[in-house]
């Protein structure tokens, strides 16, 4: 049995189709199919039922999944332990955060570090999904809620204040109503965010003009005259063309948490990057 084939099996089990698994694993779809057939031949069982909707685990596949996940856990622990021994300020460090925080807050700090340490490479991951620290999808992560993964060392980095903004010249919204106002807010997948709830409750008679899960996109929509939005002050206060309104009730803020896996606590490049960010705050 080839361990690389077991990783292919896990990717298919988690993604459900060869195409999605291939993208996740960085392989071609024909290669994924060929490797899966090789694994099934090696173990002597069909691990997936091929259906029109994708790949479904057979009973044998379900049993194999438990062992494959334990194999993966041990392999990743081995990798993290070796990586944590690294003493040189060189190599790749993967940093995960939200889009606006990564672009406007972290990038200037990280860029200065890479200029000072030419052998250090930073990979900044800013899409909406949560990256696993245990699987080393990221080495250092910033989130707006505490981490619930085991083995993660974490701390609260900062409390972020939010404000209500419009383009210069935009009239303030009617308190308690918002009648006639156009709102720029989070999309439906993030409708439970405190700022999105605050907007709905504070301006119940306003209409929604624009939705996005990107704070940068919201800020640009406001600058273009689409309406008013709740934005992090660290982002919006530095953008010319935006005006902040005084509002009642006050806006809810958010905490930012930073975390990394305990196996990487001796990794020098992680410590240097984290110390630079903590110092900046």
């Amino acid at each position: 049995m080839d361990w690389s084939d077991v990783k292919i099996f896990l990717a298919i089990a988690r993604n459900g189709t060869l195409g999605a698994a291939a993208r996740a694993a960085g392989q071609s779809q024909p290669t994924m199919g060929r490797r899966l057939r090789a694994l099934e031949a090696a173990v002597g069982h069909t691990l997936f039922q091929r259906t029109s909707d994708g790949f479904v685990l057979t009973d044998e596949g379900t049993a194999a999944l438990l062992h494959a996940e334990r194999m993966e856990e041990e392999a990743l622990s081995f990798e993290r332990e070796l990586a944590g021994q690294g003493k040189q300020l060189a190599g790749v460090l993967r940093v995960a955060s939200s889009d606006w925080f990564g672009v406007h807050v972290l990038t200037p700090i990280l860029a200065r570090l890479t200029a000072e340490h030419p052998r250090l490479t930073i990979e900044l991951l800013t899409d909406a999904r949560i990256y696993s620290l245990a699987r080393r999808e990221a080495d250092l992560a910033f989130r707006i809620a505490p981490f619930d993964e085991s083995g993660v060392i974490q701390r609260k980095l900062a409390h972020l204040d939010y404000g209500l903004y419009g383009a210069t010249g935009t009239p303030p919204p009617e308190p308690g109503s918002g009648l006639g106002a156009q709102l720029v807010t989070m999309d439906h997948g993030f409708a439970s965010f405190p700022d999105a709830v605050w907007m709905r409750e504070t301006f119940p008679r306003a209409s929604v003009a624009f939705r996005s899960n990107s704070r940068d996109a919201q800020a640009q929509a406001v600058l273009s005259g689409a309406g008013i939005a709740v934005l992090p002050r660290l982002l919006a206060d530095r953008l010319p063309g935006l005006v902040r309104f005084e509002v009642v009730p006050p806006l809810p803020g958010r905490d930012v948490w930073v975390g990394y896996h305990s196996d990487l606590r001796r990794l020098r490049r992680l410590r240097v990057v984290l110390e630079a960010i903590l110092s900046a705050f």
Side-chain angles (χ1 to χ4, degrees), residues 116-130:
E116 295 169 6
H117 307 283
R119 297 178 62 195
L120 174 66
T121 300
I122 301 291
E123 290 185 3
L124 182 59
L125 314 169
T126 60
D127 59 37
R129 80 179 184 90
I130 294 179

Side-chain angles (χ1 to χ4, degrees), residues 130-133 143 145-152 154 257:
I130 294 179
Y131 288 86
S132 170
L133 296 175
R143 298 179 186 169
F147 294 75
D148 56 9
E149 288 182 281
S150 63
V152 171
Q154 61 179 305
W257 295 77

